[in-house]
Amino acid sequence: MTGPVVKTGDLFVFYGLLKQGAAGMPADLPLETSGRFLGPCRFRGRLLDLGGFPGVVAGEDLCHGVRYELEDVSIIGAMDAFEDVTHDLATSLYVRKKIPLLDDQGATAGEQAWIYWYNQSTEGFEHISDGNWPLGKGRTRK
């Protein structure tokens, strides 16, 4: 289930497998040629370890992401398919929606970006308390 139409120049925030250089980034999704990565950003949510990939749901944690500016909207179908976005809210693994981007201190940065927001039950999944995927040395969960 998606919101309004995505346009050329729209921003996305990637926080998991679509982050630039992420292990598990899909090789068949041409992000490098369909837009440009603009660097780190923050947003509010609750980041979860879904078992090999993350999901974000409503929460107050200051999560880490990467800003991406879309130049070729023809990639949206492939991005939605990768994130298991469907037109049925009951079955859609993620939904695409807009959220405000924040600075490192959590203040509004004045930009909004599309994000893939987890849309299924969160029961049994671990919270990534530092709001940053992937988990690495010294990272904690609760």
Side-chain angles (χ1 to χ4, degrees):
M1 188 76 155
T2 59
V5 175
V6 176
K7 301 181 299 289
T8 298
D10 279 0
L11 296 177
F12 278 77
V13 57
F14 297 144
Y15 59 87
L17 299 180
L18 296 182
K19 283 196 309 190
Q20 188 174 26
M25 184 182 210
D28 60 341
L29 197 57
L31 292 173
E32 296 286 348
T33 59
S34 297
R36 58 192 180 111
F37 290 94
L38 301 174
C41 66
R42 298 296 203 94
F43 62 95
R44 293 274 178 211
R46 181 174 171 85
L47 195 62
L48 302 171
D49 181 351
L50 302 176
F53 59 95
V56 69
V57 296
E60 290 303 313
D61 295 346
L62 193 55
C63 297
H64 297 255
V66 174
R67 289 169 54 241
Y68 176 82
E69 183 179 14
L70 183 70
E71 294 171 358
D72 182 359
V73 295
S74 70
I75 194 176
I76 292 300
M79 287 170 56
D80 284 355
F82 176 77
E83 298 289 0
D84 282 334
V85 172
T86 70
H87 293 291
D88 179 5
L89 197 54
T91 62
S92 193
L93 188 60
Y94 291 85
V95 294
R96 182 172 21 90
K97 68 179 202 170
K98 281 194 172 179
I99 62 164
L101 296 181
L102 309 173
D103 65 20
D104 285 341
Q105 289 70 46
T108 302
E111 295 179 309
Q112 288 216 330
W114 293 102
I115 192 169
Y116 287 101
W117 203 257
Y118 189 63
N119 185 53
Q120 296 296 318
S121 171
T122 61
E123 190 172 329
F125 294 117
E126 292 187 57
H127 173 220
I128 302 171
S129 61
D130 71 356
N132 198 5
W133 179 270
L135 295 172
K137 197 172 192 175
R139 300 274 169 82
T140 59
R141 302 179 189 185
K142 40 175 169 171

